Amino acid sequence: ILIVATLVLCGCKITKPLIFDTDWWTDVDDACAVRILLNSDKKGEIDVKGICLSAVDNESYESLGKFMFHEGYTNIPVGADKDATDFKGIPGYRKPILESSENNSLTDKDVSNCVDFYRKILSSSKKKVDIVAVGFPNTLSKLLQNTPDQWSPLNGTELIEQKVGKLYLMAGNYPEGKEHNFCNASRSREAGAIVCKNWPGEIIFLGFEVGIQVVAGGTLPKEDLLHKILEAHGSANGRYMWDPLTLVIGIIGNPEKAGFECIRGVCSVNPETGENTFIEDANGKHSYVKMIHSPEWYSKRLNIMLSEGKSVMEVYHEEL
């Protein structure tokens, strides 16, 4: 308490360490989320320890590197599940990034495998690290199943228990159904089952049914690279905001303060079909969120974050 008080009195910000895990694949809301992530890091609200990719192809690293450079970052550690080359879909929205004049600071040699990425960051962190995962869950399942190594004498489960705070996961359709991040391939279906069954800490899910109601990104100026990305995706007037909403909850660290109700219980995933089921239980370590405001309430805030460069906390502290 004395340490916290001293930091507050001297004007120092206490930032929350956070890892962002994304597929960076076929949907453009990942790019919207990365902008919000980095703007909030710039304002000292979070300390981005790294970005991990749960799906990769021959354009993944260059496109992410160029976009991060455009947003003012060149030194964020990046990891990837380098085996995850079998997901369905074509990431067409990356074309404007690849054709841009931005420098590319990211190649394969700069990217760690996802297990080393996570274990190095977590083992060296003095504080618990929150994870916001908005893509496929295979990176998380690999971390869970890992054994002691050069980074830590702890196995995956033990390391998560000791070093991870909350996991915010965009996946599923609640209270039950099917959704892309769990269902896309056998890799994601099996990983979803493993993570839901074995993750030792709290998981807060944002499902398909929430993000499909909220559209943002349509207010960006045409010269903005993010607008060009949205346009290439076919979403010049805005896109559904699954990933940015999950990130906002993770940055604020409290679903209720972010404008959501939490339903507590236990989520499970069928490893064959990817279908998720949620059983309510007051003692469960899982929760899924429900909106308590109109979709426009969330859209307005996200549009300000995307168009005006404001951070999550700046926007949520304003009266709109």
Side-chain angles (χ1 to χ4, degrees):
I1 296 174
L2 288 174
I3 294 174
V4 173
T6 302
L7 289 169
V8 172
L9 287 171
C10 75
C12 300
K13 290 184 177 180
I14 305 171
T15 57
K16 175 171 62 175
L18 186 145
I19 293 172
F20 185 65
D21 198 307
T22 171
D23 50 359
W24 193 252
W25 197 239
T26 56
D27 210 333
V28 73
D29 62 327
D30 296 77
C32 295
V34 169
R35 170 166 288 183
I36 293 170
L37 175 82
L38 298 181
N39 282 340
S40 293
D41 182 88
K42 289 173 189 174
K43 302 297 173 63
E45 296 170 1
I46 53 174
D47 176 13
V48 178
K49 292 297 185 182
I51 296 175
C52 195
L53 300 179
S54 57
V56 292
D57 63 10
N58 59 5
E59 296 178 346
S60 296
Y61 307 145
E62 182 182 359
S63 59
L64 178 62
K66 282 192 164 198
F67 188 69
M68 288 196 300
F69 185 89
H70 176 77
E71 299 296 305
Y73 282 78
T74 59
N75 59 350
I76 292 177
V78 175
D81 182 350
K82 296 188 177 186
D83 298 323
T85 60
D86 53 353
F87 286 109
K88 301 171 186 175
I90 301 173
Y93 74 85
R94 298 179 190 159
K95 186 176 180 182
I97 309 175
L98 296 167
E99 293 178 346
S100 73
S101 60
E102 301 295 343
N103 288 339
N104 171 36
S105 59
L106 200 62
T107 63
D108 180 73
K109 65 180 177 59
D110 303 309
V111 178
S112 306
N113 74 71
C114 59
V115 172
D116 279 344
F117 166 87
Y118 268 111
R119 289 184 66 85
K120 181 180 179 181
I121 292 172
L122 294 177
S123 63
S124 63
S125 180
K126 294 180 180 179
K127 297 193 288 186
K128 286 197 171 186
V129 180
D130 285 353
I131 299 172
V132 177
V134 298
F136 308 116
N138 41 292
T139 52
L140 303 174
S141 68
K142 283 192 170 185
L143 171 62
L144 258 174
Q145 298 175 91
N146 198 246
T147 54
D149 58 9
Q150 61 178 316
W151 306 114
S152 173
L154 304 176
N155 65 33
T157 301
E158 293 166 341
L159 187 62
I160 292 165
E161 286 179 324
Q162 187 176 114
K163 293 289 190 172
V164 175
K166 294 178 181 178
L167 170 60
Y168 301 89
L169 194 59
M170 194 283 113
N173 196 341
Y174 299 92
E176 61 182 20
K178 291 185 176 182
E179 182 274 329
H180 178 78
N181 286 351
F182 281 151
C183 293
N184 184 282
S186 60
R187 186 184 300 274
S188 58
R189 294 190 286 270
E190 292 166 6
I194 290 169
V195 170
C196 288
K197 182 178 180 180
N198 299 316
W199 193 266
E202 183 177 359
I203 307 178
I204 298 171
F205 297 89
L206 183 139
F208 175 85
E209 76 287 351
V210 174
I212 194 68
Q213 300 181 63
V214 179
V215 176
T219 61
L220 288 160
K222 291 185 178 181
E223 63 273 14
D224 191 323
L225 179 59
L226 186 55
H227 169 81
K228 295 175 183 178
I229 294 169
L230 282 156
E231 188 174 41
H233 182 267
S235 302
N237 295 322
R239 179 60 177 160
Y240 303 119
M241 291 282 109
W242 295 284
D243 297 355
L245 287 170
T246 308
L247 177 62
V248 166
I249 295 172
I251 290 174
I252 293 175
N254 183 313
E256 286 80 8
K257 289 183 179 179
F260 296 88
E261 175 189 2
C262 272
I263 309 299
R264 186 168 286 276
V266 178
C267 181
S268 61
V269 172
N270 184 318
E272 300 296 327
T273 66
E275 185 173 4
N276 66 277
T277 303
F278 194 92
I279 299 174
E280 291 190 31
D281 181 349
N283 297 314
K285 61 182 179 181
H286 300 160
S287 301
Y288 71 87
V289 300
K290 297 173 68 174
M291 296 189 300
I292 61 175
H293 301 290
S294 69
E296 292 73 25
W297 188 93
Y298 305 92
S299 296
K300 180 186 294 186
R301 284 155 178 78
L302 290 172
N303 275 324
I304 293 172
M305 294 176 206
L306 295 172
S307 301
E308 300 180 19
K310 291 189 176 182
S311 67
V312 171
M313 294 302 191
E314 284 178 322
V315 172
Y316 267 73
H317 287 162
E318 293 178 349
E319 290 294 331
L320 301 180

